[in-house]
């Protein structure tokens, strides 16, 4: 009982500390998820210091149970809003929300950096920018600045096809060959027709038209073509 009580106190205290730290600190993970990893990692590493494997395993087991309980509780609508933070609006209709930035402890220059990563350069073009519970930034552009969709032009498009890898870094992906009901002899024949060797292929994919695309490990020389500029001293 004492072990459960101590673990529960550590779990709750850690959760509160992470909530106070803010969503930026737990980017891409919910607070519970990050706390679970921290606590479990620390508990598992304890035997290295105190040489008490049994007690560490008991604490680790209790931590897993607590994590499962909190996740289960978060599925209920009423408790979800208590356990998880609400999304924070940073930009609304082109206007930067100063209170929102202050709440998530994000300076304007960092906000602009996040927008550039997502392909937006002007805050005036943003209808809504929100920091989600996981710390990630969701950006919705104004309708006149969003990419044109085929539906806007009443166009019918073909179904998206995902090229299937058959060779990666010189290794044949046998389960994908089996999935396509092809054999290794067919693959080797296609590779030889293109004058390549399996060990020299970085990526070979099966295309929608039934052909094989090959990207070998040879880099083409572009002879200082400005369109192929590479940042840094080695250009």
């Amino acid at each position: 009982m004492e072990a459960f009580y101590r673990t529960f106190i550590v779990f709750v205290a850690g959760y509160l500390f992470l909530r106070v730290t803010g969503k930026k600190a737990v980017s891409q993970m919910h607070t519970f998820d990050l706390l679970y990893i921290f606590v479990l990692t620390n508990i598992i590493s304890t035997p290295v210091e105190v040489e008490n494997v049994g007690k560490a395993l008991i604490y680790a087991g209790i931590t897993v149970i607590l994590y499962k309980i909190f996740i289960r509780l978060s599925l209920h609508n009423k408790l979800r809003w208590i356990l998880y933070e609400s999304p924070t609006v940073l930009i609304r209709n082109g206007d930067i929300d100063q209170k929102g930035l202050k709440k998530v402890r994000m300076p304007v220059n960092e906000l602009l950096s996040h927008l550039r990563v997502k392909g937006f350069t002007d805050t005036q073009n943003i209808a809504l920018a929100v920091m989600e519970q996981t710390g990630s930034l969701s950006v919705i552009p104004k309708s006149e600045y969003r990419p044109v969709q085929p539906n806007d032009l009443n166009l019918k498009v073909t179904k998206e096809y995902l090229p299937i890898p058959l060779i990666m870094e010189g290794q044949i992906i046998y389960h994908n060959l089996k999935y396509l009901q092809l054999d290794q002899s067919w693959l080797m024949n296609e590779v030889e027709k293109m004058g390549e060797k399996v060990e020299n292929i970085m990526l070979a994919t099966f295309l929608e038209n039934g052909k094989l695309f090959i990207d070998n490990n040879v880099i083409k020389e572009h002879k200082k073509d400005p369109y192929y500029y590479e940042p840094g001293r080695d250009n």
Side-chain angles (χ1 to χ4, degrees):
M1 189 65 185
E2 181 184 353
F4 183 87
Y5 175 75
R6 291 177 62 182
T7 307
F8 179 78
I9 294 297
V10 170
F11 198 89
V12 172
Y15 168 76
L16 293 175
F17 286 141
L18 286 173
R19 281 293 294 266
V20 171
T21 303
K23 283 182 281 189
K24 279 179 62 181
V26 295
S27 180
Q28 306 304 317
M29 297 181 72
H30 285 297
T31 308
F32 287 128
D33 302 325
L34 188 64
L35 175 63
Y36 172 68
I37 298 299
F38 281 167
V39 174
L40 192 61
T41 302
N42 187 55
I43 290 174
I44 292 175
S45 65
T46 300
V48 178
E49 301 175 2
V50 300
E51 299 181 356
N52 195 332
V53 178
K55 186 175 290 187
L57 290 177
I58 292 173
Y59 287 153
I62 294 172
T63 301
V64 173
I65 293 171
L66 285 173
Y67 175 72
K68 292 289 186 180
I69 292 173
F70 273 76
I71 291 299
R72 179 68 66 177
L73 290 174
S74 70
L75 297 178
H76 296 279
N77 288 327
K78 291 183 179 180
L79 293 175
R80 183 180 302 146
W81 300 111
I82 298 174
L83 297 175
Y84 289 132
E85 292 187 77
S86 299
T88 305
V89 175
L90 305 182
I91 300 177
R92 192 192 303 274
N93 196 29
D95 294 325
I96 296 175
D97 191 321
Q98 188 174 2
K99 290 183 178 178
L101 287 178
K102 189 174 181 180
K103 183 178 179 181
V104 299
R105 302 173 183 85
M106 179 184 291
V108 174
N109 65 314
E110 186 175 338
L111 172 64
L112 297 178
S113 175
H114 284 295
L115 293 177
R116 289 195 298 272
V117 169
K118 293 184 175 294
F120 301 100
T121 57
D122 195 339
T123 57
Q124 298 179 75
N125 302 341
I126 306 301
L128 189 69
V130 176
M131 178 168 280
E132 303 291 353
Q133 299 166 341
T134 58
S136 60
L137 192 68
S138 299
V139 181
I140 301 174
K142 293 180 179 178
S143 56
E144 60 268 31
Y145 294 105
R146 67 175 174 81
V148 176
Q149 304 295 322
N151 191 50
D152 296 332
L153 305 175
N154 294 320
L155 295 177
K156 291 185 177 180
V157 296
T158 58
K159 189 175 181 179
E160 186 69 24
Y161 177 83
L162 181 66
I164 301 174
L166 296 181
I167 300 175
M168 295 179 69
E169 297 180 305
Q171 301 293 322
I172 297 175
I173 314 298
Y174 289 101
H175 63 268
N176 283 348
L177 273 175
K178 183 179 180 181
Y179 176 79
L180 293 169
Q181 298 182 350
L182 299 171
D183 54 27
Q184 186 175 345
S185 60
W186 173 88
L187 178 62
M188 298 303 296
N189 185 49
E190 292 295 314
V191 170
E192 289 175 5
K193 284 196 298 186
M194 298 183 182
E196 299 287 351
K197 293 182 178 180
V198 172
E199 57 268 24
N200 295 332
I201 295 175
M202 288 294 293
L203 177 66
T205 55
F206 185 81
L207 303 179
E208 187 176 11
N209 57 9
K211 295 183 178 180
L212 194 68
F213 165 77
I214 292 179
D215 183 354
N216 57 29
N217 56 13
V218 177
I219 304 297
K220 295 180 180 179
E221 273 295 335
H222 298 292
K223 297 181 179 180
K224 304 298 182 179
D225 188 331
Y227 289 99
Y228 292 93
Y229 165 75
E230 297 179 7
R233 296 182 180 181
D234 299 327
N235 52 25

